Amino acid sequence: MKLKFTKMQGLGNDFVVLDGIHQSIHLDRQQLRFLADRHFGIGCDQILLVEKAEGDADFRYRIFNADGGEVEQCGNGARCFVRYVHDHGLTQKSEIRIETLSGVISPKLEISGNVTVNMGQPVFEPAQIPFIAEHIAPAYQLEIAGQPVTISALSMGNPHAVRVVPDVDRAPVETEGALLEQHPRFPKKVNAGFMQVVDRTHIKLRVFERGAGETLACGTGACAAVVAGINLGLLDPQVIVSTRGGSLTIRWEGKNEPVWMTGPAVTVFEGEINL
């Protein structure tokens, strides 16, 4: 089977984007993992599938991690999704409504070329993250490898654990991130973020993503980190998030308000691959 694809990236968080509107796409877990493989396939952090909406939205957006598992949300991917449907003539709207597993999001292509996404309201109720805890709190204690650590837990359509660290470059992202991802108090695993507060309007962030490992950037991780920092009284409502792939602007006005994310989305190349 020949499959047309577009390789895209948002701050170095890279994607294989597939048009499921003009070609019939039904991939099993092994095929998805092959596409994501950087040695034998195309190589990416996530695979994005563009489909017709099932309801009254403009499109349906499906996201598969490099391990082949389907996930609920991806912020950097949402920006690339908007750029893709515009560049391929699938819509002329500057703002579109997209169905995801976690609900409808509304990204907007700005005149500057950046994309702003309404990522919806953060979720703090432990059962809905999901996270095993008796009640909502701005921070929780976990035990990792016999040592206590403090995290904030929330969902941005997908589960996040955020740790405040003094120096993100020295943070144990690979080792502790992998342990956090699999922690038994997160029944569906978790994305582990390590946040250094530079000042009230600027943080540095690294994220160990569920099913993908550390990536150069994570859009929902940036949103989760800023929300956690605001809840802890460390940050102002608008924050620049510096990742290893570049910077995002995140804005959250507080309880019952959505999180807004603005950043770039870039096409790298297009091609075909035999499966």
Side-chain angles (χ1 to χ4, degrees), residues 190-212:
V190 73
N191 300 286
F194 296 78
M195 170 177 67
Q196 175 187 343
V197 178
V198 179
D199 59 43
R200 294 191 64 83
T201 61
H202 183 201
I203 66 170
K204 294 181 179 181
L205 180 70
R206 292 171 65 186
V207 180
F208 190 97
E209 291 198 48
R210 180 181 55 164

Side-chain angles (χ1 to χ4, degrees), residues 66-88:
D67 66 357
E70 186 168 7
V71 294
E72 306 90 343
Q73 191 54 274
C74 175
N76 288 326
R79 298 198 315 278
C80 288
F81 189 105
V82 175
R83 171 61 65 189
Y84 178 92
V85 296
H86 269 272
D87 290 353
H88 287 77

Side-chain angles (χ1 to χ4, degrees), residues 18 25-37 44 47-49 64-70 275:
L18 304 174
I25 299 177
H26 300 283
L27 302 176
D28 60 29
R29 196 178 186 107
Q30 183 177 352
Q31 289 171 316
L32 290 163
R33 293 177 69 169
F34 171 73
L35 289 176
D37 191 286
C44 64
I47 296 154
L48 312 181
L49 182 57
F64 300 89
N65 277 340
D67 66 357
E70 186 168 7
L275 288 179

